[in-house]
Amino acid sequence: MAATTDTDHEHDHAERADAPGSPPPTRRRRLGPLALAVSVFGELLITAGVLLGLFVVYSLWWTNVLADRAAGRQADEVRDTWAREAGGDGGPGALDTKAGIGFLHVPAMSDDEILVEKGTSMKVLNDGVAGYYTDPVKSALPMSGKKGNFSLAAHRDGHGAKFHNIHKLEKGDPIVFETKDTWYVYKVYGILPETSKYNVKVLAPVPEESGKQKAGHYITLTTCTPVYTSRYRYVVWGELVRTEKVNSERTPPKELR
C-alpha cells in the first residue's frame, strides 16, 4: 500500500474546496467609509467616557483623600501648639497659629471637626479646611470680643467637601467654634438656600438679609450650590448664645456630646 504524502493531502483538500455545493471561502468584509467613521467615532466616545470617569473619580474622591491628609497634618500642628502653650498667655494672639486658628463643629452637618484657617482662596480651601474672610469689614473673629460677623467658606464637593451636608442644617441647630481657650456656641437662626455668588451682603457685620437689624456676634457659613456646581451660594447664619472656658480635659459643651 502506497504511503500518503503531504502533497496528496493538499490535492484532496483543493478538490473538496472546488467540489460542487461546497461553501465559498470566508472573506473579511471591508468597511465602507461611513461605517469606518462610525466605528472610529464610537471608539473615541468610549475613550472619552473612560477619561471622564477617571476625572470624576479624581475630583470627587482622590482630592478628598489628599485634602483630608493635609487637613489632618495641619490640625495636629494646631493641637500640638496649643498643648505647648498650655498655661501660657491666653490672649487672641496665642490662638492664631500658622496652621489654623481653631476648629468648627457642626453636628447636623458632620461628625468631623473642621480646621479653620485664614483666607478663602482656593489654595487654602483645597487643603480640606474652612477659611475665614479676612476683610475686617466683613469678618470679626470671635476671640476679638468685638461685635461682627465671623464669616467662613468651604468646599461642598471635592477637596475635603467639608460643607457638603450644609443643607441638613435647620434653625436651632448648634454651630460650635473651638479655640485654644474657649468654646463659642452659636445657634442657627437663618438659612438662604440660594443667592448670587457675588452677593457680599450676606457677609456684612449686620447681615440684614438674615433678618437682623442690630450689631451682634454672628457666624456665617457659605458654600457653593447646587452640589457639584459653583453657580450660586448657600448661606447659613448663626448667633452666639454663650461661651464656655476650655477645661484641662477639653470637655466639649453639651451640644457636642
Side-chain angles (χ1 to χ4, degrees):
M1 183 174 180
T4 302
T5 66
D6 292 341
T7 303
D8 294 332
H9 284 298
E10 292 176 1
H11 179 71
D12 292 341
H13 178 75
E15 287 183 345
R16 286 196 298 271
D18 294 337
S22 298
T26 304
R27 295 181 180 179
R28 185 175 182 181
R29 185 179 178 183
R30 297 183 63 182
L31 295 176
L34 179 59
L36 181 61
V38 171
S39 176
V40 172
F41 183 65
E43 292 179 0
L44 289 175
L45 285 179
I46 293 173
T47 301
V50 171
L51 293 176
L52 181 60
L54 291 174
F55 176 75
V56 170
V57 170
Y58 170 79
S59 298
L60 303 182
W61 178 72
W62 186 242
T63 60
N64 286 342
V65 173
L66 296 178
D68 287 341
R69 288 176 181 174
R73 289 192 297 268
Q74 292 161 205
D76 289 342
E77 290 181 27
V78 173
R79 293 205 178 276
D80 288 344
T81 299
W82 288 356
R84 289 194 300 270
E85 294 177 351
D89 181 14
L95 301 176
D96 198 352
T97 73
K98 292 181 179 180
I101 65 169
F103 297 89
L104 193 68
H105 304 264
V106 191
M109 188 167 64
S110 172
D111 292 332
D112 297 332
E113 61 183 22
I114 304 170
L115 180 63
V116 176
E117 292 190 0
K118 181 178 182 180
T120 56
S121 68
M122 290 299 102
K123 182 179 180 181
V124 172
L125 301 187
N126 285 355
D127 277 348
V129 304
Y132 67 88
Y133 290 87
T134 56
D135 185 338
V137 176
K138 297 176 182 176
S139 188
L141 296 179
M143 48 273 205
S144 70
K146 298 178 181 179
K147 292 182 178 181
N149 190 358
F150 181 38
S151 304
L152 305 122
H155 285 305
R156 198 173 184 189
D157 54 83
H159 300 284
K162 296 306 180 184
F163 284 2
H164 183 75
N165 290 323
I166 194 171
H167 60 283
K168 293 184 177 181
L169 278 166
E170 298 178 353
K171 290 183 179 180
D173 285 339
I175 298 174
V176 180
F177 180 58
E178 174 193 1
T179 67
K180 172 175 170 282
D181 300 313
T182 308
W183 300 93
Y184 297 85
V185 182
Y186 298 83
K187 181 180 290 187
V188 174
Y189 71 86
I191 298 172
L192 184 58
E194 185 179 293
T195 189
S196 168
K197 59 184 176 182
Y198 304 109
N199 182 6
V200 296
K201 292 181 180 179
V202 299
L203 310 175
V206 180
E208 295 184 3
E209 287 193 56
S210 70
K212 295 296 182 181
Q213 300 295 325
K214 297 181 179 180
H217 298 276
Y218 305 115
I219 189 170
T220 302
L221 309 183
T222 67
T223 192
C224 297
T225 198
V227 180
Y228 310 124
T229 73
S230 58
R231 187 173 183 181
Y232 300 106
R233 292 293 180 269
Y234 196 109
V235 184
V236 173
W237 290 286
E239 186 171 16
L240 187 69
V241 292
R242 75 175 193 282
T243 63
E244 289 186 17
K245 282 295 182 183
V246 173
N247 59 27
S248 57
E249 292 81 23
R250 299 199 74 85
T251 305
K254 61 183 181 181
E255 288 80 2
L256 302 182
R257 299 176 200 166

